[in-house]
């Protein structure tokens, strides 16, 4: 079972754990608690993991080739689901990223074969998916 399973932690217990173990400042603690709540809301079946269908539904995304690519970029351990650690990492990365970092992420999203370049076919797929 994951961190957010049915026997999971409530926000007050998470807050105590953060204060005792991580020594987070209040702002960071609030951000992490918000992330935890968003994770719990996204994890609609309550199994402590975000499946592709839950992710798509929560963020109103079409399940296409770019959705699959986005999910795979977040699912760093290739387990087929997003756990709380992966969820927090991606939220933090977006919050901390500057414009260059966001452009790099968008490039990685479009570079479906990880070649380091966006081919004509990848660009065509991007255009077709956006229509």
């Amino acid at each position: 079972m994951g961190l957010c399973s049915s026997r999971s932690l409530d926000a007050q217990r998470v807050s105590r754990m953060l204060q005792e173990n991580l020594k987070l400042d209040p702002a960071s603690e609030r951000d992490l608690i918000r992330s935890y709540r968003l994770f719990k809301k996204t994890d609609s079946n309550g199994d402590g993991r975000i499946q592709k269908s839950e992710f798509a539904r929560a963020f109103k995304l079409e399940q296409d080739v770019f959705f699959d690519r986005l999910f795979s970029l977040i699912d760093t351990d290739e387990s087929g689901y997003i756990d709380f650690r992966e969820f927090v990492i991606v939220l933090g990365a977006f919050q901390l990223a500057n414009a260059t970092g966001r452009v790099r992420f968008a490039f990685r999203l479009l570079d479906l074969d990880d070649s380091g370049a966006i081919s004509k076919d990848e660009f065509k797929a991007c255009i077709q998916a956006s229509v």
Side-chain angles (χ1 to χ4, degrees), residues 10-96:
D10 61 29
Q12 289 179 337
R13 253 181 89 197
V14 170
S15 179
R16 273 195 313 277
M17 285 174 48
L18 294 173
Q19 289 171 349
E20 293 168 7
N21 298 310
L22 298 178
K23 311 292 186 220
L24 290 176
D25 63 90
S28 296
E29 182 183 327
R30 278 191 303 275
D31 288 345
L32 199 51
I33 294 292
R34 267 185 278 198
S35 298
Y36 176 76
R37 287 183 179 141
L38 180 58
F39 181 88
K40 293 279 289 178
K41 184 178 177 183
T42 305
D43 175 25
S44 59
N45 69 5
D47 68 354
R49 306 181 293 194
I50 298 173
Q51 313 297 326
K52 279 186 172 185
S53 59
E54 292 171 318
F55 190 76
R57 189 172 36 257
F59 296 102
K60 297 177 175 72
L61 300 170
E62 272 189 52
Q63 291 192 42
D64 60 16
V65 66
F66 294 102
F67 171 84
D68 290 339
R69 177 67 173 164
L70 173 64
F71 196 89
S72 72
L73 289 172
I74 298 169
D75 178 23
T76 57
D77 65 3
E78 300 177 354
S79 61
Y81 58 85
I82 298 170
D83 60 30
F84 184 62
R85 181 189 61 81
E86 292 166 326
F87 191 76
V88 168
I89 288 170
V90 78
L91 287 178
F94 271 103
Q95 186 175 20
L96 297 173

